[in-house]
Amino acid sequence: MKIKHVRVTPIAFRDAPLLNASGIHEPYALRSIIEVESDNGFVGLGESYGDAPVLSVLKAMKDSLVGLDPFDLNGLRARVKATVARIQPGSNSGAELAPGSHPSKQVANAYSAFEVAFLDLQARSLGMPLVDLLGGAVRNEVPFSAYLFLKYAEHVDSPYQPDRWGEGISPEQLVAQARKMIDENGFQSIKLKAGTLLGPEHEVACIKALKQAFPNAPLRIDPNGNWSLETAIRMAELMGDDLQYYEDPCPGLEGMAELHRRTGIPLATNMVVTDFDEFRRSVALNSVQIVLADHHYWGGLRDTQILSRMCETFDIGVSMHSNSHLGISLMAMTHVAAAVPNLSYACDTHYPWQEEDEEVIKGGKLPIRNGCVTITKAPGLGVELDYDQLGKLHDQYLAIDIRSRDDVRQMQKYRPDWKAVKPRF
Ligand code: GKR
Ligand code: MG
């Protein structure tokens, strides 16, 4: 079997005005949809970042993959390395929350984008679910958590009708947001995105309200490194006992290590451990007790399994990170999570925030039941592209002027003096 065509299609979909440490989400999120077609008629699918620097690598890669055997993952890696060395793509200043766009991650994330599509193609050609190529499923139901955001009711320039979630600013509104998300998806655990302009005390009040409303649900808070060590310690004193884990409260491997020494609270990260070198340094310092894996920038599904194995070796818990994404990514996350025996926590997903009419796979949005996404016996990732939807979302991409995520620039539309400062509090 040889690769005959590779297509990379940038798309844009509506994204809610969600607040975070950098600022606020823009009205559209960008992704790329990858199709790898073999000479015997199978098509493997992938989904990755859609920011300009990433797209430039994916597009530059396309033709070099024609003629390659989709089982030749080492050949894929060599071609990715050669392409990145040749074109040296730029960085994406506004997306430090999502390490995938960082220049040091270009090889890992481009490899991942195609590795998923290659594995999907391999599995389809063999008529088996992708998870079987990862050693088989240790669970068929993969648990995800409710991912709450402080948010405005609508975007600053109102490019479209307000979303169905309404404003999420007060603790009462956050509890209502959680209830709706849990009613619709059955989530058992709850994560609150923090580090926003509303400040740590307000965000701790939201955690307290959530604890009261959902006393049995494990809670997490994630300020994306936007609190100083002293602030993180002060907030830990207020809510430490309410948390399952404390995700990236303050910046840096050293800061996190010191925080753990002084509070004893389990710390999780998708910011200070984003590659194997940082993993090694984190183990030496005991910076984190849980790593949030993300195949998009950890170098694919197989490297995510290696990361999980490393976590097991060093007695570190495994959870999963997410950015705004659609169903192909959700199924890739689900297949790899199904093949990780030591997945110790429900995974993150932004999926509930995405609109019903903007899914790119046939049949619309995938169901999340009892907080879980199910692996089926269908070949590969188990999803098919809806080409009408792909065309619609690509046209939407062409119609807007966002080419790289920049939550700082978006916040400046609300507050012209807003700057990228970290830690802010
Ligand atoms: O989408 O605003 C966001 C998140 O803050 C995202 O960018 C992070 O990468 O969800 C992520 C996280 O857990 O840090
Ligand atoms: Mg995080």
Side-chain angles (χ1 to χ4, degrees):
M1 183 165 59
K2 294 276 180 260
I3 290 167
K4 194 172 78 174
H5 288 301
V6 177
R7 289 179 287 277
V8 176
T9 311
I11 60 167
F13 53 84
R14 302 199 293 281
D15 207 15
L18 308 178
L19 295 164
N20 62 24
S22 292
I24 187 164
H25 282 212
E26 293 168 289
Y28 294 93
L30 309 178
R31 297 295 272 178
S32 51
I33 302 299
I34 293 108
E35 295 168 82
V36 177
E37 189 179 337
S38 63
D39 55 2
N40 54 352
F42 294 101
V43 179
L45 301 177
E47 176 185 335
S48 186
Y49 308 99
D51 301 78
V54 177
L55 262 182
S56 67
V57 182
L58 299 184
K59 289 195 161 166
M61 284 290 310
K62 279 184 338 157
D63 294 341
S64 71
L65 301 179
V66 173
L68 196 65
D69 183 328
F71 283 85
D72 185 5
L73 294 174
N74 286 330
L76 168 63
R77 202 182 288 273
R79 283 165 171 76
V80 173
K81 282 186 176 164
T83 303
V84 170
R86 179 167 56 82
I87 68 169
Q88 298 187 330
S91 75
N92 177 0
S93 60
E96 282 83 16
L97 297 176
S101 287
H102 193 275
S104 66
K105 298 286 183 294
Q106 298 289 354
V107 170
N109 69 39
Y111 174 77
S112 170
F114 290 112
E115 186 230 36
V116 172
F118 274 42
L119 288 170
D120 187 35
L121 180 48
Q122 292 176 20
R124 283 173 198 263
S125 74
L126 296 167
M128 57 174 55
L130 190 154
V131 69
D132 287 357
L133 295 177
L134 304 176
V138 293
R139 61 182 71 79
N140 288 317
E141 312 272 305
V142 172
F144 287 84
S145 73
Y147 195 158
L148 309 184
F149 275 83
L150 291 148
K151 71 180 286 290
Y152 296 148
E154 56 185 306
H155 283 287
V156 61
D157 300 325
S158 288
Y160 43 72
Q161 290 300 306
D163 63 69
R164 65 194 190 87
W165 297 92
E167 186 178 80
I169 298 295
S170 68
E172 296 71 30
Q173 288 172 329
L174 259 285
V175 168
Q177 187 188 103
R179 211 171 290 289
K180 185 176 165 75
M181 208 175 269
I182 289 171
D183 285 350
E184 291 178 4
N185 301 279
F187 295 122
Q188 317 275 319
S189 37
I190 301 175
K191 161 168 170 169
L192 174 64
K193 173 59 59 184
T196 72
L197 78 174
L198 296 168
E201 281 78 8
H202 180 80
E203 292 163 348
V204 169
C206 292
I207 285 288
K208 292 287 175 193
L210 289 165
K211 184 70 194 171
Q212 207 174 1
F214 305 95
N216 300 321
L219 296 179
R220 311 146 182 192
I221 190 168
D222 176 12
N224 276 120
N226 212 16
W227 296 351
S228 67
L229 174 61
E230 293 314 318
T231 302
I233 292 172
R234 203 157 45 81
M235 296 306 127
E237 283 161 6
L238 298 176
M239 67 175 164
D241 293 343
D242 300 325
L243 296 180
Q244 179 186 38
Y245 58 66
Y246 203 11
E247 182 178 330
D248 285 314
C250 60
L253 286 167
E254 287 77 11
M256 291 281 275
E258 179 67 11
L259 177 63
H260 183 65
R261 252 195 310 281
R262 289 172 58 180
T263 64
I265 299 181
L267 303 182
T269 190
N270 60 273
M271 298 185 79
V272 297
V273 180
T274 64
D275 57 34
F276 289 102
D277 184 47
E278 288 171 347
F279 184 98
R280 178 180 59 76
R281 287 156 52 209
S282 172
V283 166
L285 292 164
N286 192 21
S287 301
V288 301
Q289 291 65 51
I290 297 117
V291 171
L292 275 69
D294 181 333
H295 71 269
H296 299 91
Y297 62 81
W298 271 96
L301 305 184
R302 293 237 171 115
D303 281 10
T304 299
Q305 288 185 289
I306 293 174
L307 168 64
S308 309
R309 198 61 208 281
M310 300 272 286
C311 287
E312 190 179 13
T313 307
F314 292 97
D315 203 17
I316 289 172
V318 180
S319 187
M320 202 180 276
H321 166 260
S322 153
N323 280 128
S324 305
H325 65 87
L326 296 178
I328 298 172
S329 276
L330 182 65
M331 285 318 293
M333 292 159 75
T334 301
H335 277 261
V336 69
V340 167
N342 53 323
L343 181 79
S344 5
Y345 301 93
C347 306
D348 288 355
T349 179
H350 281 237
Y351 200 57
W353 291 105
Q354 271 41 96
E355 301 287 349
E356 286 297 333
D357 61 343
E358 297 214 309
E359 181 51 279
V360 79
I361 56 175
K362 275 190 188 153
K365 281 185 77 176
L366 293 158
I368 302 181
R369 295 198 187 93
N370 301 320
C372 294
V373 177
T374 305
I375 298 275
T376 69
K377 291 276 171 229
L381 290 168
V383 293
E384 304 298 332
L385 258 186
D386 178 329
Y387 283 95
D388 291 338
Q389 284 292 101
L390 183 67
K392 177 182 124 180
L393 298 180
H394 178 59
D395 288 347
Q396 195 153 273
Y397 172 85
L398 295 176
I400 62 173
D401 59 4
I402 303 169
R403 286 296 174 265
S404 285
R405 176 180 172 179
D406 195 335
D407 297 7
V408 175
R409 179 184 57 199
Q410 182 67 9
M411 185 50 103
Q412 287 165 350
K413 296 182 185 165
Y414 300 74
R415 301 187 168 212
D417 59 346
W418 185 258
K419 289 191 179 57
V421 180
K422 237 181 221 175
R424 202 177 296 276
F425 298 99

Coordinates of all heavy atoms in Angstrom, one line a residue, residues 203-275:
E203 N -12.3 33.5 41.4 CA -12.3 32.1 40.9 C -12.3 31.1 42.0 O -13.0 30.0 41.9 CB -11.0 32.0 40.0 CG -11.1 32.8 38.8 CD -9.9 33.0 38.0 OE1 -8.8 32.8 38.5 OE2 -9.9 33.5 36.9
V204 N -11.7 31.4 43.2 CA -11.9 30.5 44.3 C -13.3 30.5 44.8 O -13.8 29.4 45.2 CB -10.9 30.9 45.5 CG1 -11.2 30.2 46.8 CG2 -9.4 30.7 45.0
A205 N -14.0 31.7 44.8 CA -15.4 31.7 45.2 C -16.2 30.8 44.2 O -17.2 30.1 44.7 CB -15.9 33.1 45.1
C206 N -15.8 30.7 43.0 CA -16.5 29.8 42.0 C -16.3 28.4 42.4 O -17.2 27.5 42.4 CB -16.1 30.1 40.6 SG -16.6 31.7 40.0
I207 N -15.1 28.0 42.8 CA -14.8 26.7 43.2 C -15.6 26.3 44.5 O -16.2 25.2 44.6 CB -13.3 26.5 43.5 CG1 -12.5 26.4 42.2 CG2 -13.0 25.2 44.4 CD1 -12.7 25.1 41.4
K208 N -15.7 27.2 45.4 CA -16.5 27.0 46.6 C -17.9 26.7 46.3 O -18.6 25.8 46.8 CB -16.4 28.2 47.6 CG -15.0 28.4 48.2 CD -14.7 27.3 49.2 CE -13.3 27.5 49.7 NZ -12.8 26.3 50.5
A209 N -18.5 27.5 45.3 CA -19.9 27.3 44.9 C -20.1 26.0 44.2 O -21.1 25.3 44.5 CB -20.3 28.5 44.0
L210 N -19.1 25.6 43.4 CA -19.2 24.3 42.7 C -19.1 23.2 43.8 O -19.8 22.2 43.6 CB -18.0 24.2 41.7 CG -18.2 25.1 40.5 CD1 -16.9 25.2 39.7 CD2 -19.3 24.6 39.6
K211 N -18.2 23.3 44.8 CA -18.1 22.3 45.8 C -19.4 22.1 46.5 O -19.8 21.0 46.8 CB -17.0 22.7 46.8 CG -16.7 21.7 47.8 CD -16.0 20.5 47.2 CE -15.9 19.3 48.1 NZ -15.5 18.1 47.4
Q212 N -20.1 23.2 46.8 CA -21.3 23.1 47.5 C -22.4 22.5 46.6 O -23.2 21.6 47.1 CB -21.8 24.5 47.9 CG -22.7 24.5 49.1 CD -23.0 25.9 49.6 OE1 -22.6 26.9 49.0 NE2 -23.7 26.0 50.7
A213 N -22.4 22.8 45.3 CA -23.5 22.3 44.4 C -23.2 20.9 44.0 O -24.1 20.1 43.8 CB -23.5 23.2 43.2
F214 N -21.9 20.5 43.9 CA -21.6 19.1 43.5 C -20.6 18.5 44.5 O -19.4 18.3 44.1 CB -20.9 19.2 42.1 CG -21.8 19.9 41.1 CD1 -21.6 21.2 40.8 CD2 -22.8 19.2 40.4 CE1 -22.4 21.9 39.8 CE2 -23.6 19.8 39.4 CZ -23.4 21.2 39.2
P215 N -21.0 18.2 45.7 CA -20.1 17.8 46.7 C -19.3 16.5 46.4 O -18.2 16.4 46.9 CB -21.0 17.6 48.0 CG -22.4 17.6 47.5 CD -22.4 18.2 46.1
N216 N -19.8 15.7 45.5 CA -19.1 14.4 45.2 C -18.2 14.5 44.0 O -17.6 13.5 43.7 CB -20.1 13.3 45.1 CG -20.9 13.1 46.4 OD1 -20.3 13.3 47.5 ND2 -22.2 12.9 46.3
A217 N -18.3 15.6 43.2 CA -17.6 15.6 42.0 C -16.1 16.1 42.3 O -15.9 17.1 42.9 CB -18.2 16.6 41.0
P218 N -15.1 15.3 41.8 CA -13.7 15.8 41.9 C -13.6 17.1 41.2 O -14.1 17.3 40.0 CB -12.9 14.7 41.2 CG -13.8 13.5 41.2 CD -15.2 14.0 41.2
L219 N -12.9 18.1 41.8 CA -12.8 19.5 41.2 C -11.3 19.8 40.9 O -10.4 19.4 41.7 CB -13.3 20.5 42.2 CG -14.7 20.5 42.6 CD1 -15.0 21.7 43.6 CD2 -15.6 20.7 41.3
R220 N -11.1 20.5 39.8 CA -9.8 21.0 39.4 C -9.9 22.4 39.0 O -10.9 22.8 38.5 CB -9.3 20.2 38.2 CG -9.4 18.7 38.3 CD -9.7 18.2 36.9 NE -9.9 16.7 37.0 CZ -9.9 16.0 35.9 NH1 -9.8 16.5 34.7 NH2 -10.1 14.7 36.0
I221 N -8.8 23.2 39.3 CA -8.8 24.6 38.8 C -7.5 24.8 38.0 O -6.5 24.2 38.4 CB -8.9 25.5 40.0 CG1 -9.1 27.0 39.5 CG2 -7.7 25.4 40.9 CD1 -9.5 28.0 40.6
D222 N -7.5 25.5 36.9 CA -6.4 25.7 36.1 C -6.1 27.2 35.7 O -6.7 27.7 34.7 CB -6.6 24.9 34.8 CG -5.5 25.0 33.8 OD1 -4.4 25.6 34.1 OD2 -5.7 24.6 32.6
P223 N -5.3 27.9 36.5 CA -5.0 29.3 36.2 C -3.9 29.5 35.1 O -3.5 30.6 34.9 CB -4.5 29.8 37.5 CG -4.8 28.8 38.5 CD -4.8 27.5 37.8
N224 N -3.5 28.4 34.4 CA -2.5 28.5 33.3 C -1.3 29.4 33.7 O -0.9 30.2 33.0 CB -3.2 29.1 32.1 CG -3.9 28.1 31.2 OD1 -5.1 28.1 31.0 ND2 -3.2 27.0 30.8
G225 N -0.8 29.1 34.9 CA 0.5 29.7 35.4 C 0.4 31.2 35.6 O 1.4 31.9 35.6
N226 N -0.9 31.7 35.8 CA -1.0 33.2 35.8 C -1.1 33.7 37.3 O -1.3 34.9 37.5 CB -2.3 33.6 35.1 CG -2.2 34.9 34.5 OD1 -1.1 35.4 34.3 ND2 -3.4 35.5 34.1
W227 N -0.8 32.8 38.3 CA -0.7 33.3 39.6 C 0.7 33.1 40.1 O 1.4 32.2 39.8 CB -1.6 32.4 40.6 CG -3.1 32.5 40.3 CD1 -3.7 33.4 39.4 CD2 -4.1 31.7 40.8 NE1 -5.1 33.1 39.4 CE2 -5.4 32.1 40.2 CE3 -4.1 30.6 41.7 CZ2 -6.6 31.5 40.6 CZ3 -5.4 30.0 42.1 CH2 -6.6 30.5 41.5
S228 N 1.2 34.1 40.9 CA 2.6 34.0 41.4 C 2.6 32.9 42.4 O 1.6 32.4 42.9 CB 3.0 35.3 42.1 OG 2.2 35.4 43.3
L229 N 3.8 32.5 42.8 CA 3.9 31.4 43.8 C 3.2 31.8 45.1 O 2.4 31.0 45.6 CB 5.4 31.1 44.0 CG 5.8 30.2 45.1 CD1 5.2 28.8 44.8 CD2 7.3 30.1 45.3
E230 N 3.4 33.0 45.5 CA 2.7 33.4 46.8 C 1.2 33.4 46.6 O 0.5 33.0 47.5 CB 3.2 34.8 47.2 CG 4.7 34.9 47.6 CD 5.1 33.7 48.5 OE1 4.4 33.4 49.4 OE2 6.2 33.2 48.3
T231 N 0.7 33.9 45.5 CA -0.8 33.9 45.3 C -1.3 32.4 45.2 O -2.3 32.1 45.8 CB -1.1 34.6 44.0 OG1 -0.7 35.9 44.1 CG2 -2.6 34.6 43.7
A232 N -0.5 31.6 44.5 CA -0.9 30.2 44.4 C -1.0 29.5 45.8 O -1.8 28.7 46.1 CB 0.0 29.4 43.5
I233 N 0.0 29.9 46.7 CA 0.0 29.3 48.0 C -1.2 29.8 48.8 O -1.9 29.1 49.5 CB 1.3 29.6 48.8 CG1 2.5 28.9 48.1 CG2 1.2 29.3 50.3 CD1 3.9 29.3 48.6
R234 N -1.5 31.1 48.7 CA -2.6 31.8 49.4 C -3.9 31.1 48.9 O -4.8 30.8 49.7 CB -2.6 33.3 49.1 CG -3.3 34.1 50.1 CD -2.8 35.6 50.1 NE -2.7 36.1 48.7 CZ -3.7 36.6 48.0 NH1 -4.9 36.7 48.5 NH2 -3.4 37.1 46.8
M235 N -4.1 30.9 47.7 CA -5.3 30.3 47.2 C -5.4 28.8 47.6 O -6.5 28.3 47.8 CB -5.4 30.4 45.6 CG -5.5 31.8 45.1 SD -6.8 32.8 45.9 CE -6.0 34.2 46.5
A236 N -4.2 28.2 47.6 CA -4.2 26.7 48.1 C -4.8 26.6 49.5 O -5.5 25.7 49.9 CB -2.8 26.2 48.0
E237 N -4.4 27.6 50.3 CA -4.9 27.6 51.7 C -6.4 27.7 51.8 O -7.1 27.2 52.6 CB -4.2 28.7 52.5 CG -2.8 28.4 52.9 CD -2.0 29.6 53.3 OE1 -2.5 30.7 53.4 OE2 -0.7 29.4 53.5
L238 N -7.0 28.5 50.8 CA -8.4 28.7 50.8 C -9.2 27.5 50.2 O -10.3 27.2 50.6 CB -8.8 29.9 49.9 CG -8.2 31.3 50.4 CD1 -8.5 32.4 49.4 CD2 -8.8 31.6 51.8
M239 N -8.6 26.8 49.3 CA -9.4 25.8 48.6 C -8.7 24.4 48.4 O -9.3 23.5 47.8 CB -9.9 26.3 47.2 CG -8.7 26.4 46.3 SD -9.1 26.8 44.6 CE -7.4 27.3 44.1
G240 N -7.5 24.3 49.0 CA -6.7 23.1 48.7 C -7.5 21.8 49.0 O -7.5 20.9 48.2
D241 N -8.3 21.8 50.1 CA -9.0 20.5 50.4 C -10.1 20.2 49.4 O -10.6 19.1 49.4 CB -9.6 20.6 51.8 CG -8.5 20.7 52.9 OD1 -7.3 20.3 52.5 OD2 -8.8 21.1 54.0
D242 N -10.5 21.2 48.7 CA -11.6 21.0 47.7 C -11.2 20.4 46.4 O -12.0 20.0 45.6 CB -12.3 22.3 47.4 CG -12.9 23.0 48.7 OD1 -13.4 22.2 49.5 OD2 -12.9 24.2 48.7
L243 N -9.8 20.4 46.2 CA -9.3 20.0 44.9 C -8.9 18.6 44.7 O -8.2 18.0 45.6 CB -8.1 20.9 44.5 CG -8.4 22.4 44.4 CD1 -7.1 23.2 44.1 CD2 -9.5 22.7 43.3
Q244 N -9.2 18.0 43.6 CA -8.6 16.7 43.2 C -7.1 16.9 42.8 O -6.3 16.2 43.2 CB -9.4 16.1 42.0 CG -8.9 14.8 41.5 CD -9.6 14.4 40.3 OE1 -9.9 15.2 39.4 NE2 -9.9 13.1 40.2
Y245 N -6.9 18.0 41.9 CA -5.6 18.4 41.7 C -5.6 19.9 41.3 O -6.6 20.5 40.9 CB -4.8 17.6 40.7 CG -5.4 17.4 39.3 CD1 -5.5 18.4 38.4 CD2 -5.7 16.1 38.8 CE1 -6.0 18.2 37.1 CE2 -6.2 15.9 37.5 CZ -6.3 16.9 36.7 OH -6.8 16.7 35.4
Y246 N -4.4 20.5 41.4 CA -4.2 22.0 41.2 C -3.4 22.0 39.9 O -2.2 21.6 39.9 CB -3.4 22.5 42.4 CG -3.5 23.9 42.8 CD1 -4.4 24.8 42.3 CD2 -2.6 24.4 43.8 CE1 -4.4 26.1 42.7 CE2 -2.6 25.7 44.2 CZ -3.5 26.6 43.6 OH -3.5 27.9 44.1
E247 N -4.0 22.6 38.8 CA -3.4 22.5 37.5 C -2.7 23.8 37.2 O -3.3 24.9 37.1 CB -4.4 22.1 36.5 CG -3.8 22.0 35.1 CD -4.9 21.6 34.0 OE1 -5.9 20.9 34.4 OE2 -4.8 22.0 32.9
D248 N -1.4 23.8 37.0 CA -0.6 24.9 36.5 C -1.0 26.2 37.2 O -1.2 27.3 36.6 CB -0.7 25.1 35.0 CG 0.1 24.1 34.2 OD1 1.3 23.9 34.6 OD2 -0.5 23.5 33.3
P249 N -1.0 26.2 38.6 CA -1.3 27.5 39.2 C -0.3 28.6 39.0 O -0.6 29.7 38.8 CB -1.4 27.1 40.7 CG -0.8 25.8 40.9 CD -0.8 25.1 39.5
C250 N 1.0 28.2 39.1 CA 2.1 29.2 39.0 C 3.1 28.8 37.9 O 3.1 27.6 37.5 CB 2.8 29.5 40.3 SG 3.5 28.0 41.0
P251 N 3.9 29.7 37.4 CA 4.8 29.3 36.3 C 6.0 28.5 36.7 O 6.5 28.7 37.9 CB 5.2 30.7 35.7 CG 4.7 31.7 36.6 CD 4.0 31.1 37.7
G252 N 6.6 27.8 35.8 CA 7.9 27.2 35.9 C 8.0 25.9 36.7 O 7.3 25.7 37.6
L253 N 9.0 25.1 36.3 CA 9.2 23.8 37.0 C 9.6 24.1 38.4 O 9.2 23.4 39.3 CB 10.3 23.1 36.3 CG 9.9 22.4 34.9 CD1 11.1 21.9 34.2 CD2 9.0 21.2 35.2
E254 N 10.5 25.1 38.6 CA 10.9 25.4 40.0 C 9.8 25.9 40.9 O 9.6 25.5 42.0 CB 12.1 26.5 40.0 CG 13.4 25.9 39.5 CD 13.5 25.8 37.9 OE1 12.5 26.3 37.3 OE2 14.4 25.1 37.4
G255 N 9.0 26.8 40.3 CA 7.8 27.4 41.0 C 6.9 26.3 41.4 O 6.4 26.3 42.6
M256 N 6.6 25.4 40.5 CA 5.6 24.3 40.8 C 6.2 23.4 41.9 O 5.5 23.0 42.8 CB 5.3 23.5 39.6 CG 4.5 24.3 38.5 SD 2.7 24.4 38.9 CE 2.2 22.8 38.2
A257 N 7.5 23.1 41.8 CA 8.2 22.3 42.8 C 8.1 22.9 44.2 O 7.8 22.2 45.2 CB 9.7 22.0 42.4
E258 N 8.4 24.2 44.2 CA 8.3 24.9 45.5 C 6.9 24.9 46.1 O 6.7 24.7 47.3 CB 8.8 26.3 45.3 CG 8.8 27.2 46.5 CD 9.8 26.8 47.6 OE1 10.7 25.9 47.3 OE2 9.7 27.3 48.7
L259 N 5.9 25.1 45.2 CA 4.5 25.1 45.6 C 4.1 23.8 46.2 O 3.5 23.7 47.3 CB 3.6 25.4 44.4 CG 2.1 25.4 44.7 CD1 1.7 26.5 45.7 CD2 1.3 25.6 43.3
H260 N 4.6 22.7 45.6 CA 4.3 21.4 46.1 C 4.9 21.1 47.4 O 4.3 20.6 48.4 CB 4.6 20.3 45.1 CG 4.3 18.9 45.6 ND1 3.0 18.5 45.7 CD2 5.0 17.8 45.9 CE1 2.9 17.3 46.2 NE2 4.2 16.8 46.3
R261 N 6.2 21.6 47.5 CA 6.9 21.4 48.8 C 6.2 22.1 49.9 O 6.0 21.6 51.0 CB 8.3 22.1 48.7 CG 9.4 21.0 48.7 CD 10.8 21.6 48.9 NE 11.1 22.8 48.1 CZ 11.5 22.8 46.8 NH1 11.7 21.6 46.2 NH2 11.8 23.9 46.2
R262 N 5.6 23.3 49.6 CA 5.0 24.1 50.7 C 3.6 23.8 51.0 O 3.0 24.1 52.0 CB 5.2 25.6 50.4 CG 6.7 26.0 50.5 CD 7.1 27.3 50.1 NE 6.4 28.4 50.7 CZ 6.6 29.7 50.4 NH1 7.6 30.0 49.5 NH2 6.0 30.7 51.0
T263 N 2.9 23.1 50.0 CA 1.4 22.8 50.3 C 1.1 21.3 50.3 O 0.1 21.0 50.9 CB 0.6 23.5 49.2 OG1 0.9 22.8 47.9 CG2 0.8 25.0 49.0
G264 N 1.9 20.5 49.6 CA 1.6 19.1 49.6 C 0.5 18.8 48.6 O 0.2 17.6 48.4
I265 N -0.1 19.8 47.9 CA -1.2 19.5 47.0 C -0.7 18.9 45.7 O 0.3 19.3 45.2 CB -2.0 20.8 46.7 CG1 -2.5 21.4 48.0 CG2 -3.1 20.6 45.7 CD1 -3.3 22.7 47.8
P266 N -1.4 17.8 45.2 CA -1.0 17.3 43.9 C -1.1 18.3 42.8 O -2.2 18.9 42.6 CB -2.0 16.1 43.7 CG -2.8 16.0 44.9 CD -2.6 17.2 45.8
L267 N -0.1 18.5 42.1 CA 0.0 19.5 41.0 C 0.0 18.8 39.6 O 0.7 17.8 39.4 CB 1.2 20.3 41.1 CG 1.4 21.1 42.4 CD1 2.7 21.9 42.4 CD2 0.2 22.0 42.8
A268 N -0.8 19.3 38.7 CA -0.9 18.8 37.4 C -0.4 19.9 36.4 O -0.4 21.1 36.7 CB -2.4 18.4 37.0
T269 N 0.0 19.4 35.2 CA 0.4 20.4 34.2 C 0.2 20.0 32.8 O 0.2 18.8 32.4 CB 2.0 20.7 34.4 OG1 2.3 21.8 33.5 CG2 2.8 19.5 33.9
N270 N -0.1 21.0 31.9 CA 0.1 20.9 30.5 C 1.0 22.0 30.0 O 1.2 22.3 28.8 CB -1.2 20.9 29.7 CG -1.9 22.2 29.9 OD1 -2.7 22.3 30.9 ND2 -1.7 23.2 29.0
M271 N 1.7 22.7 31.0 CA 2.5 23.9 30.6 C 4.0 23.7 31.0 O 4.8 24.2 30.2 CB 2.0 25.1 31.3 CG 0.6 25.4 30.9 SD 0.0 27.0 31.6 CE 0.7 28.2 30.5
V272 N 4.3 23.1 32.1 CA 5.7 23.0 32.4 C 6.3 21.7 32.0 O 7.6 21.5 32.0 CB 6.0 23.3 33.9 CG1 5.6 24.7 34.3 CG2 5.3 22.3 34.9
V273 N 5.5 20.7 31.7 CA 6.0 19.4 31.2 C 5.3 19.2 29.8 O 4.2 18.7 29.7 CB 5.8 18.2 32.1 CG1 6.3 16.9 31.5 CG2 6.4 18.5 33.5
T274 N 6.0 19.6 28.7 CA 5.4 19.5 27.4 C 6.3 18.7 26.5 O 5.9 18.5 25.3 CB 5.2 20.9 26.8 OG1 6.4 21.5 26.6 CG2 4.3 21.8 27.7
D275 N 7.4 18.2 27.0 CA 8.2 17.3 26.1 C 9.1 16.4 27.1 O 9.1 16.6 28.3 CB 9.1 18.0 25.1 CG 10.0 19.0 25.8 OD1 10.5 18.8 26.9 OD2 10.3 20.1 25.1

